[in-house]
Amino acid sequence: MGRLDRIYGFFDDRLDLTESQSFLGKAFPAEDSFLLGEVALFCFLILVLTGMFLGFFFEPSTTEVEYEGSVAEYQGEDLPEAFVSVLNITYDVPFGMLLRRMHHWAAHLFVASMALHMLRVFFNGAYRNPRELNWLVGTGLAGTSMFAAYTGYALPFDEFASTAVGIGYNVALSVPIIGETLGQLVFGGSFPSSATIPRLFFLHVLVLPLVIAGLLALHMGILIRQKHTEAERDGDVPGREPVDRDDGSVVVGLPAVPNQVAVSAVVFFLTLAVLSLLAGFLPVHNIAEYGPNNPASTPSLVMPDWFLMWGYGFLKLVPSWLSFDLLGIHVSSEFVGGLLLPGLVFAVVAAWPFIDYSEEQVHFAESPLKRPWQTAVGIAGVTFIMVASIAGMDVIVADLVGASTAAIRPYLLGALLTVPVVAGLITYVTLREPDADPPTEGEETAADGRGESGGRTDGDASDDGGTDD
């Protein structure tokens, strides 16, 4: 018996690995785009690790203390303790600036990879029966992640961030009936109060990460319980029994252990390398330049991160006259733009698997080119978010065109209402065109043939706990 066999036998005796072979051998499709979810998962892990480091040195307090760090312009001044601690992390704690930057870029890459992952699932129709629940979990993850990023935005308590977070406080107050309670719960009362930073810190480092971790665990649990979707099957594993092209009861791909684990390790180190490069070469929010929170002034240019920009655009574009009373309840334009419209966007995204509902279970991803109206809706949705994001940067747009923000907002509102519709119609008209020529007999034979790409054919549904019978 070889050394590896003895090691395996040691763990098999104690962990009953043989009984777990069906799980360890679960097949993962060898598709690069399927790795976006893993990138998001690894970014969350890096966020947790770097966040733990930053948490050792961060002081969630607005109590003023004398600054004695290495930033000359603030030496000897009394500054909020939260602001001072971030200055110390950035300029005085060994590796503090690097890890703060990595935390920042990991948050951006986390949201970006998650968004791309959801777009891949959407355009491939991979949300359909039986995967509606995982789509709902993913939608919840996206919303929670954005809120987690928002709560971290205020923690340095510098002038720029506190002004931006103050906008969110006013939006929270605009919620009918429960606005005051919501402001008290999330912000600890009138922003900025002495309770604001501790409250947001508690949400940012404990409550929201636990929610995200729970949703990720649920997402992975459902994924393991079900089979992966696959791209159109071009070939099977050389040397193994071929699988019918239309057989959705099996997955052709790499076994989880050891092949997919090795791929995942490579993806993790590539993610870490990319974040290290970003942290090494690209600076992040320079709090020393903005200075501590000053309620008496407002920075000339305030805007959130890119993934929240579309919601900020709604706030900019909803006219102030869109405030009304309904059954004695006041509905303000801040509530409409800041929460109602973004909430409707998330509601439509969450409900989409039940709008594009499939009675039969679907286990193959479909080409967006073969789904005209679904792809048209997706393009219209992406365009809608892009135009809203541009509206959130109306100050920059106004500078570029040499006009005031008030002058360009009607045009931006018109673009928000028309451009997505036009983009969706163009997409639909383009994709609904029938094929010019029906496939010949030879082409049909070639389409049913098998290529040379490698992988592993997973067992049937009963082997891996799949949902189809």
Side-chain angles (χ1 to χ4, degrees), residues 73-401:
E73 64 181 295
Y74 296 122
Q75 283 186 355
E77 288 191 32
D78 290 335
L79 302 171
E81 199 167 7
F83 181 78
V84 168
S85 64
V86 178
L87 282 179
N88 290 335
I89 290 171
T90 306
Y91 298 105
D92 296 306
V93 173
F95 303 106
M97 180 182 288
L98 176 69
L99 291 173
R100 182 179 165 229
R101 288 181 176 185
M102 287 187 68
H103 191 75
H104 173 93
W105 291 119
H108 284 250
L109 187 59
F110 178 55
V111 177
S113 56
M114 191 187 314
L116 291 173
H117 179 61
M118 291 190 71
L119 286 175
R120 197 274 300 169
V121 171
F122 179 91
F123 283 110
N124 286 146
Y127 50 78
R128 291 173 292 179
N129 184 8
R131 297 174 180 80
E132 303 96 327
L133 291 178
N134 237 357
W135 176 263
L136 292 175
V137 173
T139 306
L141 264 173
T144 307
S145 301
M146 290 183 183
F147 190 51
Y150 174 80
T151 55
Y153 203 68
L155 298 185
F157 206 54
D158 65 293
E159 175 66 350
F160 185 99
S162 59
T163 302
V165 175
I167 296 173
Y169 171 71
N170 290 324
V171 171
L173 288 185
S174 71
V175 178
I177 303 176
I178 63 169
E180 291 287 344
T181 304
L182 191 62
Q184 184 71 36
L185 180 68
V186 178
F187 297 91
S190 299
F191 180 83
S193 73
S194 59
T196 299
I197 297 300
R199 196 68 60 91
L200 293 178
F201 180 70
F202 174 69
L203 290 171
H204 185 71
V205 304
L206 182 63
V207 177
L208 295 173
L210 284 178
V211 173
I212 292 174
L215 290 174
L216 283 172
L218 181 59
H219 183 77
M220 297 299 295
I222 296 175
L223 181 69
I224 292 171
R225 183 69 182 86
Q226 299 177 340
K227 292 188 294 295
H228 274 83
T229 53
E230 292 182 86
E232 290 189 15
R233 206 173 265 166
D234 292 323
D236 295 325
V237 183
R240 290 181 181 271
E241 183 179 353
V243 177
D244 188 283
R245 184 181 180 83
D246 299 322
D247 188 353
S249 65
V250 296
V251 176
V252 177
L254 303 175
V257 180
N259 303 58
Q260 185 60 34
V261 170
V263 173
S264 298
V266 172
V267 173
F268 171 76
F269 285 113
L270 284 176
T271 303
L272 186 62
V274 169
L275 291 176
S276 299
L277 286 173
L278 290 173
F281 290 100
L282 297 181
V284 297
H285 189 63
N286 188 352
I287 67 166
E289 179 180 344
Y290 286 105
N293 172 58
N294 181 4
S297 70
T298 302
S300 59
L301 180 63
V302 175
M303 59 180 63
D305 290 325
W306 60 270
F307 47 81
L308 296 171
M309 194 68 73
W310 58 281
Y312 193 49
F314 290 155
L315 268 177
K316 293 284 191 73
L317 292 182
V318 172
S320 59
W321 52 262
L322 194 59
S323 296
F324 55 91
D325 292 326
L326 180 65
L327 301 176
I329 299 173
H330 181 67
V331 179
S332 66
S333 58
E334 288 82 4
F335 172 70
V336 174
L339 285 176
L340 184 59
L341 290 180
L344 287 175
V345 170
F346 271 101
V348 171
V349 171
W352 184 251
F354 306 99
I355 297 173
D356 181 26
Y357 186 70
S358 171
E359 291 286 347
E360 300 294 330
Q361 293 194 348
V362 181
H363 298 295
F364 289 102
E366 198 169 352
S367 169
L369 303 180
K370 298 178 181 177
R371 293 161 37 87
W373 75 270
Q374 294 95 335
T375 301
V377 170
I379 293 295
V382 171
T383 308
F384 184 73
I385 295 300
M386 291 176 65
V387 175
S389 298
I390 293 173
M393 298 181 284
D394 61 346
V395 176
I396 297 175
V397 177
D399 286 342
L400 291 175
V401 301

Side-chain angles (χ1 to χ4, degrees), residues 41-51 102-103 106 268 271-272 275:
L41 178 65
F42 295 143
C43 283
F44 178 69
L45 177 62
I46 294 170
L47 275 171
V48 171
L49 295 175
T50 54
M102 287 187 68
H103 191 75
F268 171 76
T271 303
L272 186 62
L275 291 176

